[in-house]
């Protein structure tokens, strides 16, 4: 209940700031959007808490700049191919040491796991394999906390408020 109050307060703050800057448009649509996003945020927080308890991973950073190199391929200019990106969320587990990259996807439906695997094989969804090659960059606390810790997993976290479950 306390956690829901924090989520509700954060959503209210974000919606208030957005409304101040951009307006609200049609009242009914605005209210439905607020309700949908707030409900989805609650579901994500509840799912994340349970996941952290069961896996041992804890978030260490959000919107983390990262870079890496694709080995074994050469660019037209020669050498290896560099990749850069921003990780939605980076989790760390102490024992055994490991990192997990979470990539949030907000959708009206949740993709079937078979479709995800097939789209990865066909090269249509390259984020997960490329993320495994990246490490946080900069002198920020995140890169210091994660230095030398291997990336074990990349997970796509689908948030689909109209589905059951709303987080998968």
């Amino acid at each position: 209940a306390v956690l829901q109050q924090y989520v509700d307060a954060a959503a209210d703050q974000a919606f208030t700031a957005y409304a101040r800057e951009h307006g609200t448009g049609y009242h009914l649509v605005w209210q439905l959007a607020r309700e949908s996003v707030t409900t989805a945020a609650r579901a994500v927080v509840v799912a994340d808490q349970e996941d952290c308890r069961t896996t041992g991973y804890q978030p260490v950073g959000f919107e983390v700049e990262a870079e890496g190199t694709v080995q074994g391929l050469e660019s037209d200019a020669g050498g290896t191919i560099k990749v850069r990106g921003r990780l939605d969320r980076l989790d760390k587990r102490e024992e055994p040491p490991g990192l997990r990259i979470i990539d949030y996807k907000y959708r009206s439906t949740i993709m079937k796991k078979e479709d995800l695997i097939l789209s990865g094989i066909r090269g249509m969804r390259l984020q997960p394999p490329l993320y495994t090659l990246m490490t946080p960059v900069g002198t920020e606390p995140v890169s210091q906390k994660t230095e030398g810790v291997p990336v074990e997993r990349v997970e796509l976290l689908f948030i689909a408020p109209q589905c059951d479950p709303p987080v998968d």
Side-chain angles (χ1 to χ4, degrees):
V2 172
L3 192 56
Q4 279 188 350
Q5 290 174 344
Y6 284 117
V7 172
D8 291 352
D12 189 50
Q13 183 180 11
F15 274 99
T16 300
Y18 184 91
R20 199 175 355 198
E21 183 79 19
H22 304 285
T24 62
Y26 294 109
H27 183 72
L28 178 61
V29 174
W30 177 253
Q31 293 298 51
L32 289 172
R34 281 184 70 131
E35 183 179 319
S36 176
V37 169
T38 303
T39 299
R42 284 186 200 135
V44 168
V45 169
V46 168
D48 277 351
Q49 273 197 318
E50 180 59 29
D51 177 74
C52 288
R53 266 194 293 276
T54 59
T55 65
Y57 285 106
Q58 297 294 318
V60 292
F62 295 90
E63 295 293 318
V64 176
E65 293 293 326
E67 65 181 26
T69 307
V70 178
Q71 301 292 331
L73 297 176
E74 293 195 15
S75 68
D76 292 340
T80 57
I81 298 175
K82 288 190 160 240
V83 288
R84 288 188 62 84
R86 182 173 293 158
L87 311 175
D88 288 344
R89 186 174 105 198
L90 185 62
D91 295 351
K92 181 179 178 184
R93 185 182 60 214
E94 295 297 330
E95 284 302 321
L99 296 177
R100 174 176 68 177
I101 297 167
I102 301 286
D103 189 44
Y104 291 103
K105 301 292 183 197
Y106 189 85
R107 308 193 67 168
S108 58
T109 61
I110 293 177
M111 283 185 81
K112 294 178 185 160
K113 288 173 181 49
E114 299 81 23
D115 293 342
L116 274 174
I117 293 168
L118 195 56
S119 67
I121 291 170
R122 291 181 176 162
M124 296 164 54
R125 199 169 285 282
L126 291 176
Q127 282 175 300
L130 290 176
Y131 284 161
T132 63
L133 302 173
M134 295 182 182
T135 56
V137 294
T139 57
E140 59 194 63
V142 171
S143 58
Q144 294 167 357
K145 289 180 189 174
T146 59
E147 192 173 331
V149 181
V151 173
E152 285 189 332
R153 303 176 61 91
V154 176
E155 295 181 11
L156 300 177
L157 187 70
F158 285 93
I159 304 165
Q162 307 306 319
C163 294
D164 186 26
V167 179
D168 190 26

